[in-house]
Amino acid sequence: MQRRYLVAGNWKMNGSYGANAALIASLKQRAGEYDAVEIVVCPPAVYLESVGRELADSPLLLGAQDLNEQATPGAFTGEILGAMLAEVGCRYVIVGHSERRALYGETDLRGAEKFAAAQAARLIPILCVGETLEERKNGSTESVLQRQLEAVIEACGIAAFANAVLAYEPVWAIGTGHTASPEQAQAVHAFLRSELAKRDAIIADSLRILYGGSVKADNAAQLFAGADVDGGLIGGAALKAADFLAICLAAQKSSRS
Ligand code: PGA
């Protein structure tokens, strides 16, 4: 199965009108060259509409970093409904990022509810899974990933993965500069795909699995070379146009090799 590479920039809590406009202008100048890659930017929610407007005449797509798990509007102060994200032009939404899990108490179940809410709003969820350093060291990487994945399969069904993206983000690699080796990443991606293939081989084969965690311009090509690595979820390096574009170029080259 030929899976289209996807590179998504997770800006996290960074940005301003000025910085966003400069970054998007630089990305737009080159984005058309990477026609084999789907490129997504995920700015903070307050900037989605303005960034979306700037992306309008480009192949770049808009994504959000989080959404509320409700399916309908209501009294949830400070929260954002999936339908609102769709209305301002989002196509993707990150779900279950480890920062949401660790800093805001997001459980596997809540992640599964958000995954369902995203799809109900016709958004494509980018579901993040990953183990902590302690879990890797004590040999529980696979059981942790199974648990995180299982919560979503149980709540939403395997068919829901036909319209989703999975991101393997080892917590110990996020923002630390310690990326997983290409072999470590490929091994986990193959494991995740095989877990899904036990339920549905066709869906597993077509699912894009991104790697995230200190992806940089100089390590992206090796990481993307893994047979089961279909692109990246990029944090820090997504804030600099040259770095993000170099990562997109690495994906473009991998997709041709
Ligand atoms: P990083 O973040 O690239 O800065 O490590 C990745 C992420 O959290 O999605």
Side-chain angles (χ1 to χ4, degrees):
M1 168 90 198
Q2 187 66 28
R3 295 178 292 266
R4 187 157 191 233
Y5 273 76
L6 193 158
V7 175
N10 174 10
W11 294 5
K12 307 191 179 182
M13 197 172 72
N14 294 285
S16 64
Y17 282 125
N20 302 348
L23 179 53
I24 295 301
S26 301
L27 297 183
K28 277 171 72 172
Q29 278 176 7
R30 303 282 302 282
E33 295 167 33
Y34 312 129
D35 55 345
V37 184
E38 206 170 348
I39 304 173
V40 181
V41 295
C42 304
V46 72
Y47 295 123
L48 284 167
E49 188 160 21
S50 62
V51 169
R53 256 196 305 272
E54 285 158 13
L55 297 182
D57 54 347
S58 84
L60 296 160
L61 297 172
L62 190 65
Q65 298 176 14
D66 188 28
L67 80 167
N68 183 268
E69 65 277 11
Q70 304 295 322
T72 49
F76 299 95
T77 303
E79 293 295 292
I80 300 177
L81 186 69
M84 297 172 184
L85 299 176
E87 190 170 38
V88 298
C90 290
R91 294 277 290 281
Y92 287 90
V93 58
I94 298 168
V95 167
H97 190 279
S98 67
E99 286 155 15
R100 305 256 9 129
R101 293 178 192 259
L103 304 173
Y104 303 101
E106 204 162 294
T107 59
D108 293 336
L109 179 62
R110 181 59 49 86
E113 290 168 350
K114 290 187 175 191
F115 186 102
Q119 291 193 329
R122 299 184 188 282
L123 298 165
I124 300 173
I126 301 175
L127 173 67
C128 300
V129 296
E131 82 287 3
T132 63
L133 186 57
E134 197 187 341
E135 290 162 342
R136 176 160 280 262
K137 282 188 174 157
N138 69 27
S140 52
T141 297
E142 292 192 350
S143 61
V144 167
L145 296 172
Q146 260 167 339
R147 191 200 72 221
Q148 293 173 340
L149 206 51
E150 194 57 43
V152 180
I153 297 173
E154 208 164 280
C156 306
I158 186 68
F161 283 82
N163 206 19
V165 173
L166 191 57
Y168 169 54
E169 296 211 310
V171 178
W172 47 272
I174 295 176
T176 60
H178 300 299
T179 185
S181 69
E183 295 74 24
Q184 284 174 322
Q186 167 55 26
V188 171
H189 283 225
F191 169 74
L192 291 168
R193 199 179 301 286
S194 70
E195 283 299 298
L196 291 161
K198 288 180 192 162
R199 306 320 205 289
D200 190 310
I202 293 172
I203 286 175
D205 189 41
S206 64
L207 179 73
R208 290 179 294 183
I209 308 180
L210 313 183
Y211 170 78
S214 296
V215 179
K216 306 285 175 217
D218 60 6
N219 62 20
Q222 294 98 296
L223 287 161
F224 295 168
D228 290 288
V229 181
D230 307 308
L233 183 54
I234 319 300
L239 299 172
K240 290 201 190 113
D243 292 354
F244 191 63
L245 287 166
I247 293 167
C248 295
L249 177 62
Q252 173 83 5
K253 285 185 173 164
S254 295
S255 73
R256 293 239 166 101
S257 57

